[in-house]
Amino acid sequence: MNIIELVKQILTDCPLVSDLSGSINIDYTEDNPVSFGLYPTGDQLLREDILGNQDRQHNFVLYAVFQSFTDYDRLANSTFLLDLAYYLEKVEAGQEIEVTINNKTVTGKLTKLSSANGMLYGYNNETLSGPVTYQIQIQAQYRIESEGF
């Protein structure tokens, strides 16, 4: 399982998400409530030590389509983003992933999940009476050991 698959699995297993929807799409969000789309936005090397061990970060944007007709709906949507941020901070570190570099597969471990900028992203039909899209940025930090290179 690579870092994208792991983050998708963590979100799918999250009770906040699983109670609302059965699935999370990759690079795709349906226009009807409730729909989730996880969009990977890139991977970066944070640091590498003298032995070649790497700390890396993969960035994502999670888009969620919800109804927003009333203030109650919008408050519930914003509360969902807040609760999801708390949930991600508490995800257990050390979950294993596989990383393929130069046709060589090595194992790595998740070290931290964090999130930022949970907010209303846009109106799907240009009014509050229809579905709207919210976004939250997610950062997944992981470590790969040089022994496998």
Side-chain angles (χ1 to χ4, degrees), residues 33-146:
V34 169
S35 173
F36 295 97
L38 183 64
Y39 293 74
T41 60
D43 199 275
Q44 65 190 45
L45 175 65
L46 299 176
R47 64 189 140 275
E48 184 172 10
D49 65 22
I50 195 165
L51 299 174
N53 302 314
Q54 294 183 353
D55 292 324
R56 304 189 67 87
Q57 178 172 297
H58 200 92
N59 301 304
F60 301 87
V61 177
L62 178 69
Y63 291 104
V65 177
F66 293 120
Q67 187 57 257
S68 70
F69 190 69
T70 67
D71 280 338
Y72 176 81
D73 292 331
R74 292 186 293 280
L75 178 60
N77 299 341
S78 293
T79 300
F80 167 85
L81 294 174
L82 177 64
D83 291 345
L84 182 60
Y86 294 148
Y87 177 85
L88 292 173
E89 287 176 1
K90 298 297 182 186
V91 166
E92 181 179 338
Q95 297 181 56
E96 286 195 4
I97 61 167
E98 289 184 346
V99 179
T100 302
I101 300 172
N102 296 331
N103 295 321
K104 181 145 178 114
T105 301
V106 297
T107 58
K109 293 191 181 203
L110 179 70
T111 57
K112 180 181 180 183
L113 275 179
S114 57
S115 63
N117 301 322
M119 63 181 176
L120 178 64
Y121 178 74
Y123 304 103
N124 294 21
N125 64 5
E126 299 182 18
T127 70
L128 276 176
S129 63
V132 295
T133 301
Y134 287 81
Q135 76 161 23
I136 188 167
Q137 297 169 342
I138 300 171
Q139 301 81 37
Q141 293 181 4
Y142 61 100
R143 181 171 181 82
I144 51 178
E145 302 291 330
S146 65

